[in-house]
Amino acid sequence: ACAALAIALLTSAYTSVMKTPEIKHNPAPKQRYAITLAVDGAPGPFDTVTGFVEYKVANEACVPLEPISGATIAPEQKVPLTFRSAGGNTYTATVYADLMQDEDYYGLGICHWEVVAASAVLRHKAVEFSPAIFRKDIAAQHAVATYFVKGDYSSDTPRNAFGTTNRDLFQPPSRNDLFTVTLTAREDVP
């Protein structure tokens, strides 16, 4: 009888699906940052410049264990980021570090959200160039330069070029065949 009860409980746990709560946006976010994107040395203009901000719950204790794996998977959200032309090869966007609503979503305590990164997506033909600025650099109001190979700009092969923040990975003379996309964060007090 005990074995049957244990199997029934175990089967119930494995077959139940954890409900994903409705994640809410903070109705009055205050931690605002201006993100400036500057392109230097690209072979030409980009077809589109878009982006997104990634958020994740920082304290996993507020999230229940997955029924089958027993793992804790912190919720994540991606929110579109609109870059506006500021003239020349410069674009600006606004990021709210506190955009996601801290709340008790699972009945296990308040889930606290944090920014993971703000990413840009610069598209030319079939290639997407994807620089990012991460939470620590946003909070510290740093500039992050990402280096891309100029030859990728004219490629007809669909792909994503992530680039690198370490220019030393390129040996001379190939360092002359690079362009940069710099993302800079600045606290933007209204």
Side-chain angles (χ1 to χ4, degrees), residues 42-74:
F46 291 90
D47 300 330
T48 59
V49 178
T50 60
F52 57 92
V53 183
E54 296 173 79
Y55 296 90
K56 184 176 182 177
V57 167
N59 59 323
E60 293 181 357
C62 74
V63 180
L65 298 176
E66 288 289 319
I68 295 175
S69 68
T72 301
I73 301 173

PDB file of all heavy atoms in Angstrom, residues 42-74:
ATOM      1  N   ALA A  42      32.514  50.915 -40.196  1.00  0.00           N
ATOM      2  CA  ALA A  42      31.760  49.909 -40.962  1.00  0.00           C
ATOM      3  C   ALA A  42      31.837  50.266 -42.443  1.00  0.00           C
ATOM      4  O   ALA A  42      31.896  51.449 -42.806  1.00  0.00           O
ATOM      5  CB  ALA A  42      30.305  49.843 -40.511  1.00  0.00           C
ATOM      6  N   PRO A  43      31.825  49.259 -43.319  1.00  0.00           N
ATOM      7  CA  PRO A  43      31.929  49.515 -44.760  1.00  0.00           C
ATOM      8  C   PRO A  43      30.762  50.302 -45.350  1.00  0.00           C
ATOM      9  O   PRO A  43      30.864  50.821 -46.458  1.00  0.00           O
ATOM     10  CB  PRO A  43      31.992  48.112 -45.370  1.00  0.00           C
ATOM     11  CG  PRO A  43      32.459  47.232 -44.261  1.00  0.00           C
ATOM     12  CD  PRO A  43      31.907  47.836 -43.004  1.00  0.00           C
ATOM     13  N   GLY A  44      29.655  50.383 -44.626  1.00  0.00           N
ATOM     14  CA  GLY A  44      28.489  51.092 -45.134  1.00  0.00           C
ATOM     15  C   GLY A  44      27.398  51.126 -44.079  1.00  0.00           C
ATOM     16  O   GLY A  44      27.609  50.726 -42.931  1.00  0.00           O
ATOM     17  N   PRO A  45      26.200  51.589 -44.463  1.00  0.00           N
ATOM     18  CA  PRO A  45      25.090  51.659 -43.507  1.00  0.00           C
ATOM     19  C   PRO A  45      24.468  50.277 -43.264  1.00  0.00           C
ATOM     20  O   PRO A  45      24.736  49.327 -43.994  1.00  0.00           O
ATOM     21  CB  PRO A  45      24.086  52.582 -44.201  1.00  0.00           C
ATOM     22  CG  PRO A  45      24.356  52.370 -45.662  1.00  0.00           C
ATOM     23  CD  PRO A  45      25.830  52.111 -45.781  1.00  0.00           C
ATOM     24  N   PHE A  46      23.634  50.201 -42.251  1.00  0.00           N
ATOM     25  CA  PHE A  46      22.916  48.968 -41.928  1.00  0.00           C
ATOM     26  C   PHE A  46      21.465  49.093 -42.371  1.00  0.00           C
ATOM     27  O   PHE A  46      20.897  50.186 -42.373  1.00  0.00           O
ATOM     28  CB  PHE A  46      23.018  48.678 -40.431  1.00  0.00           C
ATOM     29  CG  PHE A  46      24.415  48.305 -40.012  1.00  0.00           C
ATOM     30  CD1 PHE A  46      25.312  49.278 -39.600  1.00  0.00           C
ATOM     31  CD2 PHE A  46      24.844  46.998 -40.085  1.00  0.00           C
ATOM     32  CE1 PHE A  46      26.611  48.951 -39.254  1.00  0.00           C
ATOM     33  CE2 PHE A  46      26.139  46.649 -39.745  1.00  0.00           C
ATOM     34  CZ  PHE A  46      27.032  47.635 -39.330  1.00  0.00           C
ATOM     35  N   ASP A  47      20.877  47.963 -42.749  1.00  0.00           N
ATOM     36  CA  ASP A  47      19.483  47.947 -43.189  1.00  0.00           C
ATOM     37  C   ASP A  47      18.543  48.276 -42.029  1.00  0.00           C
ATOM     38  O   ASP A  47      17.583  49.026 -42.197  1.00  0.00           O
ATOM     39  CB  ASP A  47      19.121  46.588 -43.790  1.00  0.00           C
ATOM     40  CG  ASP A  47      19.988  46.242 -44.994  1.00  0.00           C
ATOM     41  OD1 ASP A  47      20.437  47.171 -45.710  1.00  0.00           O
ATOM     42  OD2 ASP A  47      20.237  45.036 -45.211  1.00  0.00           O
ATOM     43  N   THR A  48      18.809  47.678 -40.859  1.00  0.00           N
ATOM     44  CA  THR A  48      18.009  47.941 -39.664  1.00  0.00           C
ATOM     45  C   THR A  48      18.917  47.916 -38.441  1.00  0.00           C
ATOM     46  O   THR A  48      19.951  47.239 -38.431  1.00  0.00           O
ATOM     47  CB  THR A  48      16.889  46.891 -39.453  1.00  0.00           C
ATOM     48  OG1 THR A  48      17.474  45.593 -39.336  1.00  0.00           O
ATOM     49  CG2 THR A  48      15.874  46.912 -40.585  1.00  0.00           C
ATOM     50  N   VAL A  49      18.503  48.659 -37.428  1.00  0.00           N
ATOM     51  CA  VAL A  49      19.172  48.637 -36.123  1.00  0.00           C
ATOM     52  C   VAL A  49      18.072  48.472 -35.083  1.00  0.00           C
ATOM     53  O   VAL A  49      17.250  49.378 -34.885  1.00  0.00           O
ATOM     54  CB  VAL A  49      19.987  49.923 -35.856  1.00  0.00           C
ATOM     55  CG1 VAL A  49      20.617  49.877 -34.463  1.00  0.00           C
ATOM     56  CG2 VAL A  49      21.059  50.112 -36.924  1.00  0.00           C
ATOM     57  N   THR A  50      18.023  47.297 -34.464  1.00  0.00           N
ATOM     58  CA  THR A  50      17.017  46.996 -33.443  1.00  0.00           C
ATOM     59  C   THR A  50      17.745  46.430 -32.224  1.00  0.00           C
ATOM     60  O   THR A  50      18.967  46.448 -32.161  1.00  0.00           O
ATOM     61  CB  THR A  50      15.988  45.969 -33.954  1.00  0.00           C
ATOM     62  OG1 THR A  50      16.676  44.751 -34.290  1.00  0.00           O
ATOM     63  CG2 THR A  50      15.244  46.478 -35.178  1.00  0.00           C
ATOM     64  N   GLY A  51      16.991  45.901 -31.274  1.00  0.00           N
ATOM     65  CA  GLY A  51      17.625  45.297 -30.117  1.00  0.00           C
ATOM     66  C   GLY A  51      16.622  44.722 -29.142  1.00  0.00           C
ATOM     67  O   GLY A  51      15.416  44.706 -29.403  1.00  0.00           O
ATOM     68  N   PHE A  52      17.151  44.255 -28.029  1.00  0.00           N
ATOM     69  CA  PHE A  52      16.307  43.712 -26.968  1.00  0.00           C
ATOM     70  C   PHE A  52      17.078  43.766 -25.653  1.00  0.00           C
ATOM     71  O   PHE A  52      18.298  43.863 -25.623  1.00  0.00           O
ATOM     72  CB  PHE A  52      15.858  42.273 -27.280  1.00  0.00           C
ATOM     73  CG  PHE A  52      16.996  41.316 -27.512  1.00  0.00           C
ATOM     74  CD1 PHE A  52      17.530  40.573 -26.464  1.00  0.00           C
ATOM     75  CD2 PHE A  52      17.556  41.158 -28.772  1.00  0.00           C
ATOM     76  CE1 PHE A  52      18.585  39.695 -26.680  1.00  0.00           C
ATOM     77  CE2 PHE A  52      18.600  40.281 -29.000  1.00  0.00           C
ATOM     78  CZ  PHE A  52      19.120  39.544 -27.946  1.00  0.00           C
ATOM     79  N   VAL A  53      16.315  43.723 -24.552  1.00  0.00           N
ATOM     80  CA  VAL A  53      16.889  43.686 -23.212  1.00  0.00           C
ATOM     81  C   VAL A  53      16.476  42.369 -22.581  1.00  0.00           C
ATOM     82  O   VAL A  53      15.304  41.976 -22.660  1.00  0.00           O
ATOM     83  CB  VAL A  53      16.390  44.859 -22.339  1.00  0.00           C
ATOM     84  CG1 VAL A  53      17.058  44.839 -20.967  1.00  0.00           C
ATOM     85  CG2 VAL A  53      16.620  46.186 -23.025  1.00  0.00           C
ATOM     86  N   GLU A  54      17.427  41.677 -21.982  1.00  0.00           N
ATOM     87  CA  GLU A  54      17.159  40.421 -21.298  1.00  0.00           C
ATOM     88  C   GLU A  54      17.089  40.665 -19.789  1.00  0.00           C
ATOM     89  O   GLU A  54      17.963  41.336 -19.237  1.00  0.00           O
ATOM     90  CB  GLU A  54      18.262  39.408 -21.577  1.00  0.00           C
ATOM     91  CG  GLU A  54      18.360  39.010 -23.027  1.00  0.00           C
ATOM     92  CD  GLU A  54      19.584  38.143 -23.267  1.00  0.00           C
ATOM     93  OE1 GLU A  54      19.524  36.942 -22.967  1.00  0.00           O
ATOM     94  OE2 GLU A  54      20.591  38.710 -23.744  1.00  0.00           O
ATOM     95  N   TYR A  55      16.059  40.096 -19.168  1.00  0.00           N
ATOM     96  CA  TYR A  55      15.879  40.164 -17.719  1.00  0.00           C
ATOM     97  C   TYR A  55      15.791  38.745 -17.178  1.00  0.00           C
ATOM     98  O   TYR A  55      15.319  37.838 -17.869  1.00  0.00           O
ATOM     99  CB  TYR A  55      14.580  40.903 -17.370  1.00  0.00           C
ATOM    100  CG  TYR A  55      14.561  42.349 -17.794  1.00  0.00           C
ATOM    101  CD1 TYR A  55      14.097  42.713 -19.055  1.00  0.00           C
ATOM    102  CD2 TYR A  55      14.993  43.349 -16.936  1.00  0.00           C
ATOM    103  CE1 TYR A  55      14.073  44.046 -19.446  1.00  0.00           C
ATOM    104  CE2 TYR A  55      14.968  44.687 -17.318  1.00  0.00           C
ATOM    105  CZ  TYR A  55      14.510  45.020 -18.578  1.00  0.00           C
ATOM    106  OH  TYR A  55      14.482  46.337 -18.966  1.00  0.00           O
ATOM    107  N   LYS A  56      16.209  38.576 -15.923  1.00  0.00           N
ATOM    108  CA  LYS A  56      16.161  37.257 -15.295  1.00  0.00           C
ATOM    109  C   LYS A  56      15.926  37.431 -13.796  1.00  0.00           C
ATOM    110  O   LYS A  56      16.394  38.394 -13.194  1.00  0.00           O
ATOM    111  CB  LYS A  56      17.487  36.521 -15.535  1.00  0.00           C
ATOM    112  CG  LYS A  56      17.510  35.108 -15.012  1.00  0.00           C
ATOM    113  CD  LYS A  56      18.819  34.421 -15.378  1.00  0.00           C
ATOM    114  CE  LYS A  56      18.812  32.990 -14.888  1.00  0.00           C
ATOM    115  NZ  LYS A  56      20.033  32.269 -15.277  1.00  0.00           N
ATOM    116  N   VAL A  57      15.209  36.467 -13.208  1.00  0.00           N
ATOM    117  CA  VAL A  57      15.026  36.474 -11.756  1.00  0.00           C
ATOM    118  C   VAL A  57      16.361  36.150 -11.102  1.00  0.00           C
ATOM    119  O   VAL A  57      17.005  35.160 -11.441  1.00  0.00           O
ATOM    120  CB  VAL A  57      13.930  35.470 -11.331  1.00  0.00           C
ATOM    121  CG1 VAL A  57      13.946  35.238  -9.834  1.00  0.00           C
ATOM    122  CG2 VAL A  57      12.561  35.968 -11.772  1.00  0.00           C
ATOM    123  N   ALA A  58      16.779  37.010 -10.170  1.00  0.00           N
ATOM    124  CA  ALA A  58      18.099  36.877  -9.542  1.00  0.00           C
ATOM    125  C   ALA A  58      18.107  35.889  -8.385  1.00  0.00           C
ATOM    126  O   ALA A  58      19.124  35.252  -8.114  1.00  0.00           O
ATOM    127  CB  ALA A  58      18.577  38.245  -9.058  1.00  0.00           C
ATOM    128  N   ASN A  59      17.015  35.759  -7.675  1.00  0.00           N
ATOM    129  CA  ASN A  59      16.947  34.877  -6.504  1.00  0.00           C
ATOM    130  C   ASN A  59      16.088  33.649  -6.813  1.00  0.00           C
ATOM    131  O   ASN A  59      14.882  33.687  -6.748  1.00  0.00           O
ATOM    132  CB  ASN A  59      16.396  35.632  -5.288  1.00  0.00           C
ATOM    133  CG  ASN A  59      15.011  36.200  -5.534  1.00  0.00           C
ATOM    134  OD1 ASN A  59      14.696  36.656  -6.630  1.00  0.00           O
ATOM    135  ND2 ASN A  59      14.165  36.167  -4.515  1.00  0.00           N
ATOM    136  N   GLU A  60      16.744  32.556  -7.125  1.00  0.00           N
ATOM    137  CA  GLU A  60      16.035  31.350  -7.569  1.00  0.00           C
ATOM    138  C   GLU A  60      15.224  30.678  -6.456  1.00  0.00           C
ATOM    139  O   GLU A  60      14.405  29.811  -6.739  1.00  0.00           O
ATOM    140  CB  GLU A  60      17.028  30.363  -8.165  1.00  0.00           C
ATOM    141  CG  GLU A  60      17.653  30.865  -9.453  1.00  0.00           C
ATOM    142  CD  GLU A  60      18.628  29.888 -10.061  1.00  0.00           C
ATOM    143  OE1 GLU A  60      18.879  28.814  -9.469  1.00  0.00           O
ATOM    144  OE2 GLU A  60      19.139  30.187 -11.152  1.00  0.00           O
ATOM    145  N   ALA A  61      15.416  31.069  -5.201  1.00  0.00           N
ATOM    146  CA  ALA A  61      14.661  30.465  -4.101  1.00  0.00           C
ATOM    147  C   ALA A  61      13.161  30.766  -4.204  1.00  0.00           C
ATOM    148  O   ALA A  61      12.350  30.068  -3.604  1.00  0.00           O
ATOM    149  CB  ALA A  61      15.202  30.952  -2.760  1.00  0.00           C
ATOM    150  N   CYS A  62      12.795  31.771  -5.003  1.00  0.00           N
ATOM    151  CA  CYS A  62      11.384  32.122  -5.157  1.00  0.00           C
ATOM    152  C   CYS A  62      10.696  31.290  -6.235  1.00  0.00           C
ATOM    153  O   CYS A  62       9.503  31.446  -6.480  1.00  0.00           O
ATOM    154  CB  CYS A  62      11.240  33.608  -5.485  1.00  0.00           C
ATOM    155  SG  CYS A  62      11.724  34.033  -7.175  1.00  0.00           S
ATOM    156  N   VAL A  63      11.461  30.395  -6.883  1.00  0.00           N
ATOM    157  CA  VAL A  63      10.954  29.602  -7.999  1.00  0.00           C
ATOM    158  C   VAL A  63      10.878  28.132  -7.580  1.00  0.00           C
ATOM    159  O   VAL A  63      11.832  27.603  -7.014  1.00  0.00           O
ATOM    160  CB  VAL A  63      11.882  29.741  -9.230  1.00  0.00           C
ATOM    161  CG1 VAL A  63      11.364  28.925 -10.398  1.00  0.00           C
ATOM    162  CG2 VAL A  63      12.039  31.203  -9.617  1.00  0.00           C
ATOM    163  N   PRO A  64       9.759  27.449  -7.836  1.00  0.00           N
ATOM    164  CA  PRO A  64       9.663  26.034  -7.470  1.00  0.00           C
ATOM    165  C   PRO A  64      10.577  25.148  -8.314  1.00  0.00           C
ATOM    166  O   PRO A  64      10.987  25.535  -9.410  1.00  0.00           O
ATOM    167  CB  PRO A  64       8.193  25.695  -7.723  1.00  0.00           C
ATOM    168  CG  PRO A  64       7.727  26.698  -8.712  1.00  0.00           C
ATOM    169  CD  PRO A  64       8.549  27.940  -8.495  1.00  0.00           C
ATOM    170  N   LEU A  65      10.877  23.981  -7.791  1.00  0.00           N
ATOM    171  CA  LEU A  65      11.671  23.008  -8.526  1.00  0.00           C
ATOM    172  C   LEU A  65      10.850  22.447  -9.675  1.00  0.00           C
ATOM    173  O   LEU A  65       9.633  22.287  -9.577  1.00  0.00           O
ATOM    174  CB  LEU A  65      12.093  21.863  -7.609  1.00  0.00           C
ATOM    175  CG  LEU A  65      12.984  22.239  -6.419  1.00  0.00           C
ATOM    176  CD1 LEU A  65      13.237  21.017  -5.553  1.00  0.00           C
ATOM    177  CD2 LEU A  65      14.291  22.827  -6.901  1.00  0.00           C
ATOM    178  N   GLU A  66      11.514  22.134 -10.774  1.00  0.00           N
ATOM    179  CA  GLU A  66      10.857  21.474 -11.905  1.00  0.00           C
ATOM    180  C   GLU A  66      10.465  20.068 -11.465  1.00  0.00           C
ATOM    181  O   GLU A  66      11.255  19.373 -10.807  1.00  0.00           O
ATOM    182  CB  GLU A  66      11.802  21.402 -13.106  1.00  0.00           C
ATOM    183  CG  GLU A  66      12.045  22.733 -13.770  1.00  0.00           C
ATOM    184  CD  GLU A  66      10.829  23.229 -14.516  1.00  0.00           C
ATOM    185  OE1 GLU A  66      10.152  22.428 -15.176  1.00  0.00           O
ATOM    186  OE2 GLU A  66      10.577  24.440 -14.444  1.00  0.00           O
ATOM    187  N   PRO A  67       9.263  19.604 -11.824  1.00  0.00           N
ATOM    188  CA  PRO A  67       8.783  18.298 -11.347  1.00  0.00           C
ATOM    189  C   PRO A  67       9.663  17.115 -11.750  1.00  0.00           C
ATOM    190  O   PRO A  67       9.896  16.238 -10.942  1.00  0.00           O
ATOM    191  CB  PRO A  67       7.399  18.160 -11.979  1.00  0.00           C
ATOM    192  CG  PRO A  67       7.027  19.510 -12.444  1.00  0.00           C
ATOM    193  CD  PRO A  67       8.277  20.293 -12.618  1.00  0.00           C
ATOM    194  N   ILE A  68      10.164  17.076 -12.945  1.00  0.00           N
ATOM    195  CA  ILE A  68      10.903  15.902 -13.405  1.00  0.00           C
ATOM    196  C   ILE A  68      12.384  16.010 -13.070  1.00  0.00           C
ATOM    197  O   ILE A  68      12.963  15.112 -12.474  1.00  0.00           O
ATOM    198  CB  ILE A  68      10.701  15.684 -14.922  1.00  0.00           C
ATOM    199  CG1 ILE A  68       9.231  15.357 -15.175  1.00  0.00           C
ATOM    200  CG2 ILE A  68      11.615  14.586 -15.446  1.00  0.00           C
ATOM    201  CD1 ILE A  68       8.862  15.231 -16.631  1.00  0.00           C
ATOM    202  N   SER A  69      13.000  17.125 -13.403  1.00  0.00           N
ATOM    203  CA  SER A  69      14.450  17.249 -13.228  1.00  0.00           C
ATOM    204  C   SER A  69      14.849  17.653 -11.826  1.00  0.00           C
ATOM    205  O   SER A  69      15.969  17.392 -11.404  1.00  0.00           O
ATOM    206  CB  SER A  69      15.007  18.269 -14.219  1.00  0.00           C
ATOM    207  OG  SER A  69      14.545  19.571 -13.893  1.00  0.00           O
ATOM    208  N   GLY A  70      13.960  18.320 -11.105  1.00  0.00           N
ATOM    209  CA  GLY A  70      14.312  18.815  -9.781  1.00  0.00           C
ATOM    210  C   GLY A  70      15.158  20.072  -9.838  1.00  0.00           C
ATOM    211  O   GLY A  70      15.624  20.566  -8.824  1.00  0.00           O
ATOM    212  N   ALA A  71      15.354  20.612 -11.027  1.00  0.00           N
ATOM    213  CA  ALA A  71      16.159  21.825 -11.201  1.00  0.00           C
ATOM    214  C   ALA A  71      15.297  23.059 -10.954  1.00  0.00           C
ATOM    215  O   ALA A  71      14.075  23.021 -11.073  1.00  0.00           O
ATOM    216  CB  ALA A  71      16.732  21.878 -12.604  1.00  0.00           C
ATOM    217  N   THR A  72      15.954  24.128 -10.605  1.00  0.00           N
ATOM    218  CA  THR A  72      15.288  25.415 -10.489  1.00  0.00           C
ATOM    219  C   THR A  72      15.651  26.217 -11.728  1.00  0.00           C
ATOM    220  O   THR A  72      16.826  26.452 -11.991  1.00  0.00           O
ATOM    221  CB  THR A  72      15.757  26.164  -9.229  1.00  0.00           C
ATOM    222  OG1 THR A  72      15.461  25.369  -8.084  1.00  0.00           O
ATOM    223  CG2 THR A  72      15.059  27.497  -9.099  1.00  0.00           C
ATOM    224  N   ILE A  73      14.647  26.612 -12.471  1.00  0.00           N
ATOM    225  CA  ILE A  73      14.880  27.383 -13.686  1.00  0.00           C
ATOM    226  C   ILE A  73      14.291  28.773 -13.482  1.00  0.00           C
ATOM    227  O   ILE A  73      13.072  28.943 -13.447  1.00  0.00           O
ATOM    228  CB  ILE A  73      14.272  26.690 -14.917  1.00  0.00           C
ATOM    229  CG1 ILE A  73      14.890  25.298 -15.079  1.00  0.00           C
ATOM    230  CG2 ILE A  73      14.475  27.540 -16.160  1.00  0.00           C
ATOM    231  CD1 ILE A  73      14.276  24.453 -16.151  1.00  0.00           C
ATOM    232  N   ALA A  74      15.184  29.743 -13.332  1.00  0.00           N
ATOM    233  CA  ALA A  74      14.745  31.116 -13.090  1.00  0.00           C
ATOM    234  C   ALA A  74      14.072  31.676 -14.340  1.00  0.00           C
ATOM    235  O   ALA A  74      14.583  31.512 -15.446  1.00  0.00           O
ATOM    236  CB  ALA A  74      15.934  31.985 -12.701  1.00  0.00           C
TER     237      ALA A  74
END
